Every structure is written in C-alpha cells, then in structure tokens.
Amino acid sequence: CRTAYWMTGDTYLAKQAALAFARSINDEGLTASRWPSRVPQIIPLWSLHWILTLSEYDFYSGDHATTTTCLPAVDRVLDWFLDKCAEDGLIHNIPYWMFADWSPDWPMGIPPGAGKKPSALVHFILIAALKAAASLQRSHAHHREADDYTCTAEHLSRFARNAFFSPPHTIFRDTPEQDAPASRLANAWAILADVTDPGEASALAGTIARGTGMTQEALFGTFFIFDAMMKAGRPDLAEQTLQDY
C-alpha cells in the first residue's frame, strides 16, 4: 500500500481491502485471514495487521468517512485479544492458527509460545495495534477512546518489557523464560511498538542486524525489520535488508 501512496497517491485498493476485512469480522470479533473466500480461515495476528493497515490508510488518505465505518470492528478485535489477559498481565491461550512468519525455525510459522503461553511477538504487535487504534480514534476526535487505548498500550508495554526483556543480553526473548530463544522479528516489533527505552532502539537495531544466535525471519518478516531499522534511526542497516529483494 505504501508504494501506491507514495508513488501515485492512489488509495482505492487499500480502501477496498480495509472495507472487505471489516465486513469479514466474525461473531467472536476476528477478521478473516482472506476475504472474500468460500473457505473460512482465521489467523488472529492478521486482524491486528488489519488495524495497523487501516491506521496507515487513514493517515495517508485522510478518508475519515471510510475509517469511521471500520471503528466498531477495530474495537471488537482488540476486545477479543484483551479478554485473553490473565492475572499476570500477559496474554495467554489464544486459539486458531497463530501464524506470524515462515521462519525456518518456527513450525507452521508459529513463534515460540504463541497460542498457549505469552509470546513476545504477539504482545508487541498487539501494543502497536492499540497505539494505531488510539491514533485512529484521535483522528476522529474521539479523545476519551484514544486515551483509553493509549493507557492500555502503556500498561501492556510495562508488563511485556518485564516479562521478555533479558538485561544481560539487552534483547527481548520470545517467551518469559530466560533461556528462551530470541528472534530478529520479535525484537524488531519491540522497536516498532516503542517497548524499547529511549536511546535503546539504535543499539537494539545493531543487535538485530548482526543476528548472532537469533532466529531468522522469512521474506515476509524482512519488511518489518526494515521498518524497525528506519524507526531506530539506522537507515544504513535498513538498506542491508533490501538485498533479499
């Protein structure tokens, strides 16, 4: 979508996708992973990616009339995830196919812990989606709803940082265990979701670029590595990710 926004200013395909996935939402509060489709399929993280895409569409197009119609679906998706929050402040027991990326080290594309126990990647994408929802609500002058989402994101960020950050290695582990593996993709999303402390993102970007001992992402995940490098102020490292293309 960004290529179309930047190169042509054409937002029609993105608008069609935003509305189609909003219409696909099921009774539980999740969008379909593909729509229209005769064969139903649910990938929970795709519902969060839809919110992030919708926020970008709202920013680049200024088409608030379209995004207004999608706000109830956004609320339902986020409510579905937040209902899975346990007493420890973390998200547990998410059903359906918890696909995230075709990393060669992730069976069926599922990162460690995702679906059963807390997963760093799931939390970081959810935090980013909460902040995107806050931006959407604020752009529609829904300031109370925006503040609520911002507070929820900040609350979840604190719990996630405490659970997944490994101080000796200054990286985020995929699950709360200190001997858990660490992935480039989860750490990239820590940057994108602003879970990193001020001044920490640039150093973490360097760690991701080196990738020593870290789980590698597939081509899909490379997009988010690029975004994280740019957000961390490291365009030199972002350029390296383009070699796969």
Side-chain angles (χ1 to χ4, degrees), residues 225-227 229-230 234-243:
I225 303 293
F226 176 90
D227 261 9
M229 300 302 188
M230 293 298 293
R234 297 298 304 271
D236 56 319
L237 300 180
E239 185 177 4
Q240 296 175 15
T241 68
L242 300 177
Q243 295 175 359

Side-chain angles (χ1 to χ4, degrees), residues 99-112:
F99 174 84
D101 178 71
W102 284 121
S103 167
D105 296 316
W106 292 350
M108 293 294 294
I110 303 172

